[in-house]
Amino acid sequence: MATWTWFHRFGSPPFVYRIAGRCAPWFGAGAVLCIAYGLFGGLVLAPPDYQQKDAFRIVYVHAPAAWLSLSCYTTMAVAAFVGLVWRIKVAHAVASALAPVGASFAFVCLATGSLWGRPMWGTWWEWDARLTSQLILLFLYLGYMALRSAHDDLQRADRASAVLAVVGVVNVPIIHYSVYWWNSLHQGATVMKADKPSMPAEMLVPLLVMFLGFTLFQLWVLCTRLRAEILERERNARWLREEIQEGA
Amino acid sequence: MLQPVVFFLIVTTLFPLSLSPQLSQLRDIAPGIVWVGALLSSLLALENLFRADMDDGTLEQWVVSGQPLSVQVLSRTLAHWTVSGLPLVAASPLVGASLAVPAAAFGMMALLLALGTLCLSGIGAAGAALTLGSRRASVLLSLLVLPLAMPILIFGARGVDLAILGESTRGPLLLLSALTVLTLSLTPLAAAAAVRISLE
Amino acid sequence: MNQWASFEQFLAMGGYAAYVWPSIGLAVGTLLANVVMARRRHAQALQQALRRLAVNAAGNAP
């Protein structure tokens, strides 16, 4: 019972607004430190790959961007589901705040994949399974944001886009596996192998730190955007008056 | 009602005109042409799935009738499929013949198309219900539905490909059937939720 | 350990500079843009809320 009431406070806008404001600087500091160290470790300290030489260093932004876009979509769908079932306004605000972040990193993942593919495959675009499913993920984000902007009424936009996010997240694994299946029929093995079990620690550690940094970054931006969303949604609430006039 | 079929026939005619009339080349790309054509034509029909029901108040009647809304949505979707999806299936041998698909593959192509359009109707029902209360619904609908329909395209086109080559189509056929069953059992729930939202 | 003999070599990225640096630049740029846009949006929302409260307060005053 006690755990449930603790959880329940996350449905209350004033509580979330304050908590997000308090957490944001910590997430931000962590993200900056981790990303700075990850870039330094990846670009300066890590030895060149024996096959791809220095071009492999693109992985230090490519893979975390792919991770971030996928994790944003999953978080968005979970938040949308919570908002839909329990009618929690804050959950819809979370989903709405995450969509542009995820979409922008899906794009970064595609662009860096293309820049990586040029020297490795000799072409800007290869119908590689991972790039293709990332492209479809970007389309899913665009559909979500288009549906959002097509509704004038905020509540209706919230609930309609939440249904779409849930349908989309059920489809993501199906799309993923069908694209891999399709790809394996048309070319034997992918040119660029995803998993290298023999990655030395000097290469691996900066990559893992980058993953952590991007995750903290997602939380940082989420906190800031969430605060803006709450301010826009809670137009005339009394707590808002107390909260921001104290701060001002 | 005939519009999707006519659209299907016209779109598939565009490909030989824009590529090459050589039958051997057409046969290689026939699965892609047939499936892209079928997806786009069914998409065209989906826009009107709930529109008339929305305008004359039928949707409200469904909600207050006390019957599960998802079942009513599903029956509406299936009814819509018989007038939009089935004609495409019936027209597929015609398109196949014009693209040099061997007659032995017609049956399998029709079966795969029937499953695929059924599956797309399921996804499309959710999409059509979501865009009910919004502006620019038709463009939006394709933006929502097409990314979700890519697995259908992959399995369906591969199946037709194998049928043309005279090989076993068991794999894609089973995968597409599983996808259709999954889609038709889950998307009516989403479509029902979306209908409720549009009526709020 | 530092893999680079000189700063010029670091910039050259073993001949892949034209691919590595735009990738890094795009990623870092997107990171920064996300933060800047989020903060600007929050600041705007705060401004609007303050203005609305001021209007309400003036309207409610006797």
Side-chain angles (χ1 to χ4, degrees), chain A residues 17 35 39 43-48 52-55 57-58 61 101 104-105 108 111-112 115 118-120 217 220-221 224-225 227-229 231-232 235-236 241 244-245, chain C residues 1-4 10 13-16 18-24 26-28 30-32 34-35 37-39 41-43 45-46 48-50 52-54 56-57 60:
Chain A
Y17 186 83
I35 292 174
L39 280 180
L43 294 177
V44 179
L45 300 184
Q52 309 195 5
K53 303 284 179 272
D54 290 310
R57 293 177 199 279
I58 294 177
V61 291
V101 186
S104 65
F105 281 93
V108 167
T112 54
L115 280 165
R118 180 69 198 148
M120 289 301 116
F217 176 85
W220 181 23
V221 175
T224 316
R225 293 189 74 98
R227 272 158 72 84
E229 291 269 348
L231 280 178
E232 285 162 10
R235 301 193 141 254
N236 296 310
R241 198 173 313 155
I244 57 184
Q245 280 175 347
Chain C
M1 294 320 101
N2 194 336
Q3 296 297 315
W4 307 98
F10 173 61
M13 273 289 153
Y16 292 111
Y19 307 108
V20 174
W21 290 119
S23 300
I24 308 287
L26 179 69
V28 172
T30 312
L31 287 165
L32 288 178
N34 263 301
V35 170
M37 268 154 56
R39 294 184 73 102
R41 181 141 175 235
H42 179 244
L46 199 60
Q48 273 181 2
L50 279 172
R52 200 164 44 233
L53 290 178
N56 281 358
N60 291 339

Side-chain angles (χ1 to χ4, degrees), chain B residues 109-128:
Chain B
M109 187 165 77
L111 179 61
L112 286 164
L113 271 179
L115 284 170
T117 48
L118 200 54
C119 191
L120 185 77
S121 292
I123 300 175

Side-chain angles (χ1 to χ4, degrees), chain B residues 127-149:
Chain B
L130 281 173
T131 52
L132 266 180
S134 63
R135 291 168 267 125
R136 302 181 312 266
S138 60
V139 185
L140 186 58
L141 180 64
S142 15
L143 205 56
L144 302 187
V145 170
L146 282 179
L148 298 175

Side-chain angles (χ1 to χ4, degrees), chain A residues 136 143 149 152 156 160 185, chain B residues 130 135 144 150 158 198 200:
Chain A
I136 301 177
S149 63
D152 292 319
R156 197 180 271 188
L185 299 173
Chain B
L130 281 173
R135 291 168 267 125
L144 302 187
M150 291 199 189
R158 178 67 183 161
S198 71
E200 265 170 12

Side-chain angles (χ1 to χ4, degrees), chain B residues 72-165:
Chain B
Q72 303 188 46
V73 166
L74 178 62
S75 61
R76 182 74 184 82
T77 312
L78 293 180
H80 182 262
W81 174 76
T82 57
V83 294
S84 71
L86 268 187
L88 295 184
V89 177
S92 68
L94 212 57
V95 172
S98 73
L99 296 174
V101 173
F106 285 175
M108 186 46 75
M109 187 165 77
L111 179 61
L112 286 164
L113 271 179
L115 284 170
T117 48
L118 200 54
C119 191
L120 185 77
S121 292
I123 300 175
L130 281 173
T131 52
L132 266 180
S134 63
R135 291 168 267 125
R136 302 181 312 266
S138 60
V139 185
L140 186 58
L141 180 64
S142 15
L143 205 56
L144 302 187
V145 170
L146 282 179
L148 298 175
M150 291 199 189
I152 307 176
L153 183 76
I154 290 173
F155 297 142
R158 178 67 183 161
V160 175
D161 203 19
L162 287 174
I164 291 176
L165 295 173

Side-chain angles (χ1 to χ4, degrees), chain A residues 87 136 139-140 142-143 146-147 149-152 156 159-160 163-164 167-168 170-171 174-175 178-179 181-182 185, chain B residues 130-131 133-136 140 143-144 147-148 150-151 154-155 158 172 175 179 182 186 190 193-194 197-200:
Chain A
R87 298 192 168 238
I136 301 177
F139 290 153
L140 288 178
L142 295 180
L147 182 62
S149 63
H151 286 275
D152 292 319
R156 197 180 271 188
R159 294 172 57 72
V163 172
L164 181 68
V167 172
V170 173
N171 250 284
I174 300 176
I175 292 173
S178 67
V179 166
W181 185 78
W182 157 77
L185 299 173
Chain B
L130 281 173
T131 52
S134 63
R135 291 168 267 125
R136 302 181 312 266
L140 186 58
L143 205 56
L144 302 187
L148 298 175
M150 291 199 189
I154 290 173
F155 297 142
R158 178 67 183 161
L175 284 168
L179 188 62
L182 182 75
L186 292 182
I197 293 164
S198 71
L199 293 177
E200 265 170 12

